[in-house]
Amino acid sequence: MTIAAKVTAPLGAEGPRTPAWIAGRIEDFVALRHEFHAAPELAFHEVQTSARIAELLTRWGYQVRRLARTGIVATLENGDGPALAIRADIDALPIAETTGLPFASTNAGVMHACGHDGHMAILLAAAHHLSLTRRFRGTLRLIFQPAEEIGAGAKALLEAGLFRDQPVDAIFGLHNWPGVAAGHFGFVEGPAMAAVDKVEAVIRGRGGHGAEPHLAIDPVVAAAHAVTALQTVVARNTDPRETAVVTVASIHGGAASNVIPDRVELALTLRSFSDAVRDRLRDRVPAIIDGVSASLGAAADVVLTPGFPSVVNSVEETRLIRRVAVERFGAAAVLEGFAPRTASEDFAFYLHHRPGSFVFVGNGDGPALHSPDYRFNDDIIGPAAALWVALAERFLTGGADA
């Protein structure tokens, strides 16, 4: 990568500014982000992406190891000391892009619609700076994780020996968030993102003519009653002070207006923060679908597929990175009262093994994550990279000024 000597415009007066030692090279990492965006790859198929990351990190002096097919763990050692891991996700989504950007996806039906291209650029910008300055003592491990979007990448890395063969004392990650002021940071102690589980159900009735419903067992009516009844899990089975989400996102049955079908298929997502609420959802949702169907003469086959647990940030590590952000950018850059998100993240699996924190950085106004028109804000690469640098220097040395 050629290192440019140009400085991009800083964020507005109310937001954190990119330090000069990052800003002087930021255009290279913006270009790298565009490169990743134009060539998105789906979970466990991030071959080109992974190769590019490995090439850069090797050039910068990192020891690079591949795990779980397309995962990268890059290590930079500088004397004795603790070990810190920072993770970025690298996979894209099966979404057809509609942004019209000059660097839009060239892979039909595949798009970086969640900002993983930006997360890679952020961590690589920090990685490059840290390789040049090495203002820390200890071990820095950078994790470029595949398959976050399908919730399989973190588990695959752990099963392949991450933390066993590359031990760390703590792990951190981040995600951009549309609708939050660009370059501002959100920190959550404790549960920060929801657990997720998937439910698929087939309600079976007896088909018939729409003119003679009394001779049929209508699975459409049973499904309609079940969909309505499912919300009682939130309204009547969950403590109002807790969070629970039951979303029926797909319902399919029948093909003609005068034919009662034999079956209706439902697909649901369940989200929660506490283990108790998660257990209740996983118990009550199948029971309601089965019970409502049976009461109307139908039968239900329900399959619950466990997803991944809630992201539960360690208090100590979250307070540490929050202090680092305040010291680096000022208190105005940290969002007070930032609330947990009901989206889910497989970063949760790392936190079952090591303490750490998952951080949010504002992406500014614009389309939501997973939208075909989603646009990552390049202005946040600098501040977010500076946060990673400041965290590494603080965690690994107890506080060095860059």
Side-chain angles (χ1 to χ4, degrees):
M1 173 183 294
T2 301
I3 302 301
K6 299 178 182 178
V7 179
T8 55
L11 298 175
E14 297 301 315
R17 295 178 179 273
T18 303
W21 38 268
I22 291 285
R25 297 182 285 268
I26 201 65
E27 285 193 354
D28 293 308
F29 294 99
V30 170
L32 184 61
R33 202 280 289 185
H34 295 180
E35 177 186 326
F36 287 138
H37 189 88
E41 296 171 297
L42 295 175
F44 290 127
H45 293 279
E46 311 95 333
V47 175
Q48 180 180 337
T49 302
S50 180
R52 181 71 164 124
I53 291 168
E55 172 202 349
L56 291 170
L57 291 168
T58 300
R59 187 187 309 170
W60 299 337
Y62 286 80
Q63 297 175 344
V64 173
R65 181 173 179 183
R66 298 177 184 273
L67 287 180
R69 291 150 58 184
T70 50
I72 294 289
V73 181
T75 300
L76 189 65
E77 296 179 331
N78 195 40
D80 295 330
L84 169 69
I86 305 176
R87 174 271 214 169
D89 33 21
I90 69 174
D91 57 323
L93 284 155
I95 292 174
E97 182 167 356
T98 60
T99 64
L101 292 168
F103 51 88
S105 171
T106 57
N107 294 341
V110 182
M111 177 190 176
H112 272 299
C114 205
H116 295 186
D117 50 342
H119 302 165
M120 289 184 275
I122 288 166
L123 189 51
L124 287 167
H128 184 256
H129 179 77
L130 288 163
S131 74
L132 293 174
T133 59
R134 305 198 183 212
R135 295 177 63 86
F136 66 86
R137 293 194 64 79
T139 300
L140 177 66
R141 300 199 197 279
L142 307 182
I143 300 168
F144 291 85
Q145 181 205 303
E148 185 278 328
E149 295 293 0
I150 63 171
K155 286 185 72 174
L157 289 179
L158 290 166
E159 290 168 358
L162 181 67
F163 296 164
R164 182 192 67 217
D165 301 329
Q166 295 93 20
V168 300
D169 296 295
I171 183 168
F172 293 79
L174 65 71
H175 208 293
N176 77 95
W177 212 263
V180 175
H184 288 65
F185 299 100
F187 304 96
V188 181
E189 296 178 15
M193 298 190 78
V196 61
D197 297 296
K198 178 182 177 181
V199 175
E200 295 173 294
V202 177
I203 298 178
R204 303 180 188 280
R206 184 172 65 240
H209 199 294
E212 297 180 319
H214 60 293
L215 300 178
I217 297 175
D218 194 340
V220 175
V221 172
H225 279 273
V227 169
T228 301
L230 283 169
Q231 294 310 313
T232 64
V233 180
V234 177
R236 290 296 178 266
N237 298 142
T238 303
D239 187 323
R241 293 165 295 185
E242 297 271 14
T243 297
V245 176
V246 177
T247 296
V248 181
S250 174
I251 178 167
H252 293 282
S257 63
N258 63 345
V259 178
I260 295 171
D262 289 319
R263 55 187 274 163
V264 171
E265 299 174 359
L266 305 176
L268 303 81
T269 183
L270 313 179
R271 296 180 189 267
S272 54
F273 289 111
S274 75
D275 289 341
V277 172
R278 188 182 188 195
D279 289 343
R280 191 173 302 115
L281 292 178
R282 297 203 284 188
D283 175 63
R284 293 296 298 139
V285 166
I288 286 174
I289 296 172
D290 185 67
V292 168
S293 300
S295 73
L296 296 171
D301 299 322
V302 184
V303 176
L304 188 148
T305 304
F308 33 94
S310 174
V311 172
V312 182
N313 287 335
S314 308
V315 172
E316 182 178 347
E317 282 70 25
T318 303
R319 290 179 180 176
L320 169 64
I321 193 169
R322 188 184 188 281
R323 286 197 302 272
V324 168
V326 170
E327 291 167 2
R328 172 61 65 189
F329 303 111
V334 174
L335 299 161
E336 292 299 328
F338 190 82
R341 308 284 132 167
T342 50
S344 303
E345 242 285 352
D346 75 347
F347 190 85
F349 289 117
Y350 298 127
L351 297 177
H352 277 208
H353 295 267
R354 295 293 185 274
S357 190
F358 196 69
V359 178
F360 302 89
V361 56
N363 196 55
D365 294 332
L369 300 172
H370 293 208
S371 163
D373 198 41
Y374 165 82
R375 300 167 190 236
F376 182 85
N377 187 343
D378 288 329
D379 285 343
I380 72 174
I381 294 175
L387 178 67
W388 283 152
V389 169
L391 172 69
E393 293 175 342
R394 167 60 64 86
F395 188 94
L396 295 175
T397 65
D401 249 348

